[in-house]
Amino acid sequence: MKKNDRKDLRKAFILVDYTYDFVAEDGKLTVGEPGQAIEKAIAEKIQLASKCGDFIFVINDLHDEKDLHHPEHKLFPPHNLEGSEGRKLYGSIHELINELEKKHPDRIYQLDKRRYSAFCGTPLELILRQEGIEMLELAGVCTDICVLHTAVDAYHRGFKAIIDERAVASFNGDAHRMALEHFENVLGFEVLKSY
Ligand code: ZN
């Protein structure tokens, strides 16, 4: 795709929480099969974003088991713990990001987040502004939790966003569909449909 086709809007692909704990069969807080089913679409999107010269952000939960005051502590089992294998990117995405990071270290950002939103407590907004990026594509899990909170924060900061329904997933099908509707009808983002 040529730059001109993209109306010269600088774009970032943002992958949220696509880690072993959230996706693998034996992950600590897994989305399960729907999460595993989006791996191919995510890989294709990362490759396309890289070809187009877009920035790629990989933003994953980072938790400390001893942090008993964390708001997620009573809601969810421990997951994405510091230094654990559960924090690794799932499946082929792990190697793909490693390869791309070697090739284009200036265009791949791997950030840690401590809350649902990829904007909360991270330099994401600062980097996007610095690079003049206005258009985001959001992918990953869960559609109705971390992707939704990231989308809402993007909306409040004046970013535009695209979400492809083939590249987001949740353990809760109804909540997944509600979040997709929210992206489109409340945030005014573009939702790419697979049908
Ligand atoms: Zn978490």
Side-chain angles (χ1 to χ4, degrees):
M1 198 181 280
K2 287 179 192 157
K3 275 272 175 211
N4 290 346
D5 297 333
R6 305 161 66 80
K7 294 171 191 155
D8 277 339
L9 263 190
R10 297 195 84 187
K11 206 174 136 189
F13 181 77
I14 298 179
L15 182 62
V16 177
D17 279 339
Y18 202 67
T19 65
Y20 193 90
D21 269 353
F22 283 117
V23 182
E25 207 46 56
D26 59 346
K28 298 275 193 296
L29 186 56
T30 191
V31 163
E33 198 279 327
Q36 293 148 25
I38 63 174
E39 181 184 356
K40 195 163 166 268
I42 288 174
E44 286 169 4
K45 283 175 175 294
I46 290 171
Q47 266 149 353
L48 180 65
S50 176
K51 251 187 225 161
C52 294
D54 296 338
F55 280 71
I56 296 167
F57 290 83
V58 173
I59 309 180
N60 296 326
D61 249 8
L62 171 65
H63 291 300
D64 174 355
E65 203 168 12
K66 290 184 217 100
D67 183 1
L68 306 180
H69 303 288
H70 192 286
E72 285 178 39
H73 179 70
K74 285 187 182 144
L75 296 169
F76 302 109
H79 58 279
N80 273 43
L81 296 176
E82 191 155 19
S84 71
E85 289 290 301
R87 291 201 73 230
K88 268 190 170 174
L89 286 168
Y90 176 74
S92 62
I93 308 301
H94 176 72
E95 201 41 48
L96 178 58
I97 289 294
N98 278 351
E99 274 170 36
L100 291 176
E101 199 171 29
K102 277 182 210 144
K103 273 196 225 165
H104 310 290
D106 55 328
R107 284 198 260 119
I108 310 272
Y109 283 90
Q110 299 209 50
L111 306 179
D112 298 326
K113 66 181 181 66
R114 299 263 183 186
R115 294 291 189 271
Y116 300 138
S117 168
F119 284 93
C120 181
T122 74
L124 176 61
E125 182 179 6
L126 189 67
I127 300 166
L128 295 172
R129 302 266 186 234
Q130 194 174 287
E131 299 297 341
I133 294 164
E134 293 173 27
M135 174 61 80
L136 315 178
E137 175 159 7
L138 306 179
V141 297
C142 302
T143 322
D144 51 308
I145 307 178
C146 290
V147 179
L148 176 65
H149 282 252
T150 301
V152 169
D153 274 355
Y155 168 86
H156 287 139
R157 286 162 174 76
F159 293 101
K160 296 179 178 67
I162 296 173
I163 297 100
D164 186 331
E165 66 169 25
R166 292 167 309 164
V168 288
S170 176
F171 55 90
N172 180 335
D174 289 339
H176 167 78
R177 283 183 288 278
M178 244 177 85
L180 288 171
E181 272 182 35
H182 191 89
F183 299 147
E184 193 167 30
N185 301 327
V186 181
L187 304 180
F189 292 164
E190 187 178 352
V191 174
L192 304 176
K193 311 263 168 60
S194 55
Y195 50 87

